[in-house]
Amino acid sequence: MAGERDEAVARRLAALGRTGLSASPDAGMDRFARLVANVLDVPVALVALAEDGRQVFPGVAGAGRPWSVSRQAALADSLCAYVVESGAPLVVSDARTDPRTLSGPVVTHLHAAGYAGMPLTDSHGTVLGALCAVDPRPRRWSEREVQALEDLAAACGAELRLRTVSRQAEEARAETAALLARSELVLRASEVLADTTGVEEVRTQVGELITSDLKPVYVGLSLEPAPRPAHARRQPRAQTQEPQVDPDDGAWPTAHAARDKRLVEVHGVDEVRAAYGPHAAARWESLGFASMVCLPLTGTHRTLGALAVAWDTPHRPDVAERAVLYAVSGYAAQALERARFLDDRIDVARQLQEAMLTDLPAVDGLEMAALYRPAATQDMVGGDWYDAYTLDRAPRPDGEAATLAVTIGDITGHDMRAATLMGQARSMLRQADHDHPDGGPVTAVQALESANTALDLDLSGTLVHAHLAPAADGWILTWTNAGHPAPLLARSGATCEHLDDHDLLLHPSLHGHRRTQRRLHLPAGATLLLYTDGLVERPGHDIDAGIQLTCTLLHEGADRPLQEVLETIADRVAGDAPGDDVALLALRVTHPPHAAPA
């Protein structure tokens, strides 16, 4: 019997919860209480609902304090409890003398004598409470009055059932909206993660996706160790999550999820201590976590690591939330496989590109410095390069013999092919200089164009190629410009000069167009700067302003080491996160070379 009674109480409490009613005043229930008072001509009427250990009155008419304020009383021995327990109406002429109703708050505090109460039921017949008419005087209830109270109780019960249905509909709508939102999140995850190109971008996107829906305090991708690219020396300024978890650390939930290839949940420091030991418990407390869910990142051939999601308050994901986490972890694993493949390819391209960057030769009378910075975005592998090499040539009839060749160039594209073509262009230009000892820089560039056409390389881009020959009071610069940004020349006592003259860029369709070369004397103290467009071309920044700033820094650095000047220019002009590769090559005339003709 006790078990049946407990089940009945549980059903009633669940049904009451679905109505949304309790001890707070409710306009609809107050209206029913007023109807009872008016129709039956009683001074007090109540809508009484039976909760666990107390009765509450969301509807009250005519009752003074404390009933009209607290709207609750103990349930034991109340008249409402009698109606709820019996499931039948209770109609008494004088509750003070009726053995069923000798005590209770309605009798003692409201001084009730005449009492009539009708059960209020839900759609399953569960009695939730009673609609009550209370008279302080003894009263014989007529059949018409009892019938009227019964009809009003039926209407009030219908209102309670409507409340339940309405709340269920609202909850269903909310649940549907949540499921729709999560379906949209999963769809967005498939779209967003399909476009990621690097591991760090995957980390950021996963963090933003999960944080927007589940509101955790931490989202992390804990990955199996992988070689870091040599060029990745600068990390993004901010990340959605920090790599605080390591799948190789067995005493932590992420390692458990990655190793066993299943979802792992932990809730509270006691569970962490029991499963992973005191060190993990201390770590957990320092992080401020209350709950964590970890899922394996399952790749095509192996587990890549684990996705960790943590909250600072207890949180047990429901079925829908788990479905979202499983979907996002699956898309994340696919994106990570692709990102690592791209990172490997980009790393190879970077290594190829950086292998082509020349160790500068030592040349008497010249100070040289070079600087190369890759784009902050790892997939922006370009064909930027600089080169400098000595030339072994006999003096020409005019007395000049070039001692040094320098190049700055930018092959079109940002991929492995661009880096490969850059290496070919560099090698072919060097070979052309050595194959045509009597020619100038324009001869070497034309030979490069001929080879590009003959070998069908489809190479395109821009470059400046120059030769330097010693002179009695400095150096003679001879150069040709194939559509490249103009070199800058800083001389003491003069404004920064832009060597603007240039010809068409390199392109297979332009082969055969006439190319020109220019000559200029470089006195002692002069500084020549060659650079690629990544230095000055930045979204939202004026190119001319960038060039002017470069000129200013070049002049201001006249008495500083040239390498230091280039670092300053790159920092100030390109910034700490350039959108394109930056290559700089600078030459400063320190004194006339000792081998210069008299």
Side-chain angles (χ1 to χ4, degrees):
M1 291 294 292
E4 293 179 2
R5 182 173 298 170
D6 290 343
E7 289 180 8
V9 170
R11 285 195 303 272
R12 184 179 75 247
L13 294 177
L16 281 174
R18 289 191 290 270
T19 68
L21 296 171
S22 188
S24 299
D26 180 85
M29 296 298 105
D30 279 343
R31 188 176 298 113
F32 274 105
R34 288 195 300 272
L35 280 171
V36 170
N38 291 332
V39 171
L40 273 65
D41 191 24
V42 292
V44 177
L46 304 169
V47 176
L49 301 178
E51 291 187 351
D52 187 14
R54 69 170 185 168
Q55 58 180 334
V56 296
F57 309 110
V60 173
R65 292 176 178 271
W67 302 81
S68 60
V69 176
S70 68
R71 295 197 177 225
Q72 60 180 303
L75 181 62
D77 301 324
S78 70
L79 303 184
C80 176
Y82 183 91
V83 175
V84 170
E85 288 291 335
S86 66
L90 175 64
V91 179
V92 295
S93 296
D94 191 344
R96 296 169 299 179
T97 59
D98 192 295
R100 298 169 298 176
T101 60
L102 287 175
S103 62
V106 173
V107 176
T108 57
H109 296 292
L110 285 179
H111 309 291
Y115 175 87
M118 294 291 169
L120 298 172
T121 61
D122 68 0
S123 57
H124 301 289
T126 301
V127 180
L128 307 181
L131 182 64
C132 313
V134 181
D135 196 322
R137 296 169 301 174
R139 178 167 181 159
R140 296 185 65 83
W141 303 95
S142 69
E143 185 178 343
R144 183 189 64 80
E145 289 174 329
V146 173
Q147 184 62 55
L149 184 60
E150 187 177 350
D151 291 342
L152 289 172
C156 187
E159 173 67 15
L160 293 176
R161 292 190 288 274
L162 182 60
R163 298 284 184 98
T164 298
V165 171
S166 297
R167 284 180 62 86
Q168 288 175 334
E170 289 177 6
E171 291 172 358
R173 282 195 296 271
E175 185 177 349
T176 301
L179 290 173
L180 179 59
R182 284 171 179 160
S183 297
E184 291 174 348
L185 185 147
V186 171
L187 177 60
R188 191 163 74 252
S190 69
E191 295 171 344
V192 168
L193 293 174
D195 293 333
T196 52
T197 55
V199 172
E200 293 306 321
E201 187 178 358
V202 175
R203 285 184 186 276
T204 300
Q205 293 292 355
V206 168
E208 290 177 352
L209 285 165
I210 294 177
T211 300
S212 68
D213 182 66
L214 303 183
K215 312 302 181 188
V217 295
Y218 172 86
V219 179
L221 295 183
S222 176
L223 304 180
E224 296 287 351
R228 294 296 301 161
H231 60 272
R233 59 179 180 272
R234 293 191 304 276
Q235 297 297 325
R237 289 185 178 275
Q239 296 179 346
T240 304
Q241 63 283 93
E242 295 294 332
Q244 297 173 354
V245 286
D246 181 354
D248 288 339
D249 181 359
W252 195 249
T254 46
H256 191 178
R259 183 178 61 251
D260 293 353
K261 301 179 178 57
R262 66 177 182 86
L263 182 144
V264 172
E265 285 191 47
V266 284
H267 302 283
V269 68
D270 291 339
E271 284 190 20
V272 176
R273 183 178 293 106
Y276 304 103
H279 178 72
R283 181 181 181 185
W284 177 273
E285 290 185 315
S286 70
L287 292 169
F289 294 164
S291 293
M292 178 186 277
V293 177
C294 303
L295 297 93
L297 295 167
T298 306
T300 305
H301 303 294
R302 64 185 182 89
T303 300
L304 305 176
L307 165 65
V309 184
W311 294 263
D312 57 1
T313 57
H315 184 88
R316 295 180 182 271
D318 58 25
V319 173
E321 290 174 335
R322 289 188 178 202
V324 167
L325 292 174
Y326 271 115
V328 172
S329 67
Y331 288 126
Q334 295 175 16
L336 286 168
E337 281 192 318
R338 184 175 60 256
R340 282 191 164 175
F341 173 72
L342 291 174
D343 283 350
D344 288 343
R345 289 192 62 188
I346 291 166
D347 192 32
V348 171
R350 289 283 191 208
Q351 292 180 33
L352 173 62
Q353 187 178 32
E354 294 180 3
M356 295 297 176
L357 301 178
T358 306
D359 290 332
L360 302 179
V363 177
D364 182 42
L366 290 175
E367 178 187 359
M368 280 188 287
L371 181 145
Y372 170 77
R373 285 187 180 175
T377 305
Q378 293 186 9
D379 61 337
M380 292 287 287
V381 179
D384 294 31
W385 92 97
Y386 64 81
D387 200 4
Y389 48 91
T390 56
L391 299 170
D392 184 14
R393 295 187 174 180
R396 298 203 308 266
D398 60 7
E400 289 184 2
T403 299
L404 180 71
V406 295
T407 310
I408 194 87
D410 186 358
I411 299 302
T412 304
H414 294 91
D415 51 21
M416 177 75 81
R417 182 175 181 276
T420 303
L421 287 176
M422 177 270 288
Q424 292 176 299
R426 171 185 178 275
S427 299
M428 289 191 295
L429 199 56
R430 281 189 168 211
Q431 187 64 47
D433 264 332
H434 288 282
D435 286 348
H436 302 279
D438 296 328
V442 73
T443 303
V445 172
Q446 288 172 336
L448 168 62
E449 288 186 290
S450 297
N452 185 34
T453 302
L455 299 175
D456 195 23
L457 297 177
D458 198 28
L459 178 153
S460 64
T462 66
L463 62 80
V464 172
H465 186 54
H467 290 176
L468 286 98
D473 55 350
W475 290 79
I476 300 298
L477 172 71
T478 306
W479 81 97
T480 184
N481 186 333
H484 198 78
L488 303 177
L489 179 62
R491 290 184 284 190
S492 179
T495 58
C496 185
E497 186 175 352
H498 300 197
L499 307 185
D500 289 321
D501 293 334
H502 65 84
D503 303 322
L504 297 173
L505 56 76
L506 299 174
H507 195 277
S509 65
L510 301 176
H511 178 50
H513 283 260
R514 181 174 176 270
R515 293 202 174 275
T516 59
Q517 62 186 28
R518 285 90 177 164
R519 287 163 51 90
L520 185 67
H521 178 257
L522 303 182
T527 302
L528 177 71
L529 176 66
L530 309 177
Y531 60 93
T532 56
D533 57 6
L535 176 68
V536 294
E537 290 189 2
R538 301 171 62 193
H541 292 73
D542 182 65
I543 293 176
D544 292 336
I547 294 174
Q548 184 56 47
L549 177 58
T550 302
C551 284
T552 300
L553 296 173
L554 205 58
H555 270 295
E556 291 176 351
D559 297 326
R560 293 162 56 201
L562 204 49
Q563 189 65 48
E564 185 179 310
V565 174
L566 294 190
E567 294 283 351
T568 300
I569 290 173
D571 290 342
R572 294 278 303 279
V573 182
D576 59 358
D580 195 0
D581 292 357
V582 176
L584 305 176
L585 178 61
L587 303 93
R588 178 185 290 161
V589 178
T590 56
H591 58 271
H594 297 147

